[in-house]
Amino acid sequence: MPSPEGAPLRHPVHGAPWRLLGGARRFGLGARLRMPEAYRASSVENTGRGVVSVARNRSLILSSPSELWSLLSDGHRYGEWVTGTQQVLAVDPHWPEVGARLQVRVGVGRLTLDDTCVVRICEPQHRLQLEAKAGPFGAARIAMNLIPWGENTLFILDWHPLRGPGTRMHGLPVDYVVAIRNGMMLTKLARIAVREHDINA
């Protein structure tokens, strides 16, 4: 593992470059060491002829799948790490079981939109797939995969539109913007997970 913050690291599975996200921990008698919270990479990938491309983000988060799943399982905490969320409006009590709904208000300033996420696939501590419905803007698929990586988690986030205007705007410029947003989202998620891991440890 490279020590300088910002040093590149090759993804052991996909070969894409990672960047260190700054973080710090205390060990022993207060000795302070610089440690990353996650290694991350993002890409826009074409899944094949006639199939829309996918904005894909990957992070090696220094926290276990069970610790990350506890965050994903608490719908009331999505506003802490989902970029653009102003307020969590409602969470079904059986979240994140299949069919459960999470209603949020997203936007910037006075420009807001109420969004509903419906769980389509749920495999605890392994996979969570949501359909995000944003009124006239259509719907998108959000797929989160948690892969055990030693004591850590390889977190893979895929996004692509399912229907509505988003499918017509879908392409490299839009996908790269989405990949940047999702990268920010995974950065927040990693920081929360690592902070709570340290507290529990």
Side-chain angles (χ1 to χ4, degrees), residues 12-186:
V13 176
H14 303 280
W18 266 324
R19 291 277 175 187
L20 293 179
L21 303 180
R25 295 179 178 174
R26 291 187 177 274
F27 293 85
L29 299 176
R32 194 173 184 83
L33 301 179
R34 296 294 293 173
M35 294 290 289
E37 289 151 346
Y39 298 96
R40 74 178 182 186
S42 60
S43 62
V44 176
E45 305 174 10
N46 194 317
T47 57
R49 186 175 181 180
V51 181
V52 296
S53 57
V54 175
R56 173 166 294 169
N57 294 74
R58 298 172 288 270
S59 287
L60 179 61
I61 299 179
L62 306 187
S63 186
S64 68
S66 62
E67 290 169 326
L68 280 169
W69 188 259
S70 68
L71 289 172
L72 299 180
S73 298
D74 189 348
H76 296 282
R77 300 194 64 182
Y78 272 54
E80 297 180 30
W81 59 274
V82 177
T83 303
T85 301
Q86 290 192 354
Q87 182 182 359
V88 175
L89 301 175
V91 183
D92 282 354
H94 57 289
W95 179 274
E97 296 177 12
V98 173
R101 294 174 178 266
L102 169 68
Q103 297 179 356
V104 297
R105 180 160 294 154
V106 299
V108 178
R110 295 183 178 180
L111 298 176
T112 62
L113 178 70
D114 289 351
D115 191 356
T116 300
C117 292
V118 182
V119 178
R120 295 305 186 196
I121 297 176
C122 177
E123 298 177 7
Q125 300 188 33
H126 294 288
R127 184 163 63 139
L128 182 63
Q129 294 198 15
L130 311 176
E131 180 178 342
K133 303 177 181 180
F137 295 99
R141 168 183 171 268
I142 303 170
M144 294 170 277
N145 294 324
L146 289 71
I147 302 174
W149 203 264
E151 297 179 352
N152 306 315
T153 306
L154 178 59
F155 195 108
I156 302 176
L157 173 64
D158 291 347
W159 176 95
H160 71 81
L162 295 173
R163 57 183 177 273
T167 57
R168 295 190 292 272
M169 296 186 296
H170 198 47
L172 291 182
V174 173
D175 289 346
Y176 276 119
V177 171
V178 172
I180 292 172
R181 173 186 179 270
N182 289 349
M184 296 169 59
M185 195 162 64
L186 289 187

